[in-house]
Amino acid sequence: MSKLALGAAAAALVAATPALAAEASRSTFGTMPDGRSVPAVKLSNANGIETTVIALGATLQSVIMPGRDGKKADVALGYDNLDDYLKQPQYFGSTVGRFANRLGGGRFKLDGKTWQTPINNGANALHGGTLGFDKVLWEVTSVKSGATASVTLRYVSPDGDQGYPGTMTIDATYSLNEKNELTIEYVATTDRPTIANITNHAYWNLSGEGSSGGAMGHVVTIPAESYLPTDAGAIPTGEYRSVAGTVFDFRKPMVIGDRVRDASDEQVSFARGYDHNWVIGRSVTADEHLMARVEDPASGRGFELWSNQPGLQMYSGNFFDATSHGKSKKIYRMGDAVVMEPQIFPDAPNQKDFPSARLAPGETYRNVMTYRLITGTKGAKR
């Protein structure tokens, strides 16, 4: 064979060799009491990252990733069966809304009218109400493999749902690529003015869910100059308080557990730990910016969290009381996970100096968050 022919054959072989591609595969997670099937979609890449999304609550049910020793662990708290999600919901990896976090008294005023939503957290509303987005069955509208594997789910929230005005259509897209980027994007529209604040409530333990050490040994960095102090009911007071000189200063890497029980700060006593919003910016942006970096020194696992949102709610699992157990069949206790939720500020519709949560017809709500996963393994693609 001539050199020219050999060259052509080699070129054809290279062209025929498929590039690394992330994969998406469908299965069934269980059946709802009314007989509806609950789809599950697994996204995986060549670096050993596997994530599973279930249609109940558009929920991130698992995130499996290797540590520096190459051993894999599921780092997202949750259940291995549908019954537990139905009987003992804990927002594990769920999509929460219409208004994530809290509304004081469950009320908000919009265009001169006051709207009332269900009270489900003391005297306040939490994560959209008693039947929020986390407790409904979403429709899987798209599943794709390729350079980026993805699944898109949709829910149409009717006018008056949980007391909120307007019919809202929400798409939740989970995607995973070969750079180990796990992205969650929420897009919503409405046919009537309403409010929107939608986020994901993943509980992370980078040592592995159910591990004996919990997540309080994780090292956290948050590039925020201020945070939002709250009253005893976890409703922001409206103040932007500097983190300087406080236990809320994570501008340099800090171990969560070093200060999470520091009762000398009234704010820690109110929340039994951290359950506050850090101010990354004052408005939603077009592009993503760094929200936090979380690292587990023991396993080498970690992530950088990027988003277009102005606020980051960090919750240190303060109310786990050993009444539920997860996929590892280990009970979940206080401090067994950390939650990082990009969002508009809590109680924003009732606070004149907070970013607006108003969504009108013709506008599009968008919250995009990207977890740049760190496996700690040599040669892993980043």
Side-chain angles (χ1 to χ4, degrees):
M1 184 180 290
S2 68
K3 289 184 178 180
L4 182 61
L6 282 171
L13 179 62
V14 170
T17 302
L20 288 176
E23 296 183 356
S25 58
R26 295 185 63 147
S27 61
T28 300
F29 194 72
T31 303
M32 297 288 285
D34 62 6
R36 289 178 296 167
S37 177
V38 178
V41 176
K42 182 170 75 173
L43 310 177
S44 58
N45 69 11
N47 301 319
I49 307 294
E50 299 177 5
T51 69
T52 298
V53 177
I54 63 173
L56 178 65
T59 293
L60 185 64
Q61 187 263 340
S62 72
V63 180
I64 297 172
M65 54 190 295
R68 70 166 62 90
D69 58 3
K71 293 182 179 179
K72 294 182 179 181
D74 192 341
V75 298
L77 273 63
Y79 301 121
D80 60 5
N81 65 89
L82 182 62
D83 284 348
D84 284 342
Y85 279 104
L86 294 172
K87 293 176 181 177
Q88 197 166 14
Q90 299 267 18
Y91 302 113
F92 290 137
S94 298
T95 296
V96 289
R98 291 188 190 188
F99 194 88
N101 216 311
R102 294 171 176 86
L103 284 171
R107 293 183 297 274
F108 64 95
K109 185 174 287 188
L110 184 67
D111 297 341
K113 181 177 178 179
T114 298
W115 300 85
Q116 180 68 54
T117 68
I119 302 300
N120 62 339
N121 184 247
N124 306 309
L126 177 67
H127 295 327
T130 52
L131 192 64
F133 293 168
D134 60 297
K135 296 180 180 67
V136 297
L137 188 62
W138 293 54
E139 176 191 3
V140 175
T141 59
S142 173
V143 177
K144 297 178 181 179
S145 296
T148 298
S150 67
V151 54
T152 299
L153 307 97
R154 173 169 290 181
Y155 179 64
V156 179
S157 175
D159 183 26
D161 187 11
Q162 297 293 286
Y164 293 90
T167 298
M168 180 184 284
T169 300
I170 314 97
D171 287 320
T173 299
Y174 291 80
S175 59
L176 176 69
N177 64 22
E178 292 298 331
K179 295 180 181 180
N180 294 350
E181 294 173 334
L182 171 62
T183 298
I184 306 171
E185 182 177 20
Y186 297 111
V187 174
T189 58
T190 183
D191 66 355
R192 182 180 177 187
T194 188
I195 60 173
N197 189 26
I198 306 165
T199 192
N200 184 274
H201 205 285
Y203 285 86
W204 299 90
N205 182 346
L206 295 169
S207 290
E209 65 88 24
S211 64
S212 60
M216 294 302 95
H218 290 8
V219 178
V220 169
T221 310
I222 302 174
E225 301 290 330
S226 58
Y227 79 101
L228 305 178
T230 73
D231 61 21
I235 299 299
T237 63
E239 175 190 358
Y240 290 90
R241 183 175 295 177
S242 172
V243 300
T246 76
V247 299
F248 294 88
D249 191 350
F250 284 87
R251 291 173 293 179
K252 295 181 179 179
M254 297 295 298
V255 176
I256 301 174
D258 283 355
R259 302 177 298 177
V260 73
R261 294 181 175 87
D262 189 348
S264 63
D265 191 307
E266 183 182 51
Q267 289 296 308
V268 172
S269 296
F270 282 164
R272 304 184 191 179
Y274 294 117
D275 191 7
H276 295 78
N277 202 271
W278 274 256
V279 179
I280 308 298
R282 297 293 181 99
S283 63
V284 176
T285 58
D287 298 323
E288 295 176 78
H289 42 261
L290 180 65
M291 306 291 285
R293 183 180 175 95
V294 183
E295 303 167 273
D296 174 34
S299 69
R301 301 185 188 95
F303 61 78
E304 285 186 352
L305 174 58
W306 292 66
S307 179
N308 65 336
Q309 296 296 296
L312 176 73
Q313 187 82 9
M314 181 171 78
Y315 170 54
S316 53
N318 313 326
F319 295 95
F320 281 147
D321 58 2
T323 58
S324 61
H325 62 265
K327 290 166 280 189
S328 63
K329 304 306 178 187
K330 301 290 181 63
I331 60 173
Y332 292 151
R333 305 164 303 172
M334 181 182 289
D336 272 352
V338 61
V339 178
M340 297 284 184
E341 302 167 89
Q343 60 185 256
I344 293 171
F345 302 164
D347 200 40
N350 300 316
Q351 305 273 355
K352 63 182 179 68
D353 293 327
F354 283 7
S356 174
R358 190 178 192 273
L359 179 66
E363 298 175 342
T364 299
Y365 169 89
R366 179 173 179 263
N367 181 355
V368 57
M369 58 195 80
T370 298
Y371 294 91
R372 299 180 179 179
L373 301 175
I374 302 164
T375 65
T377 55
K378 292 182 179 179
K381 289 181 179 289
R382 281 300 324 274

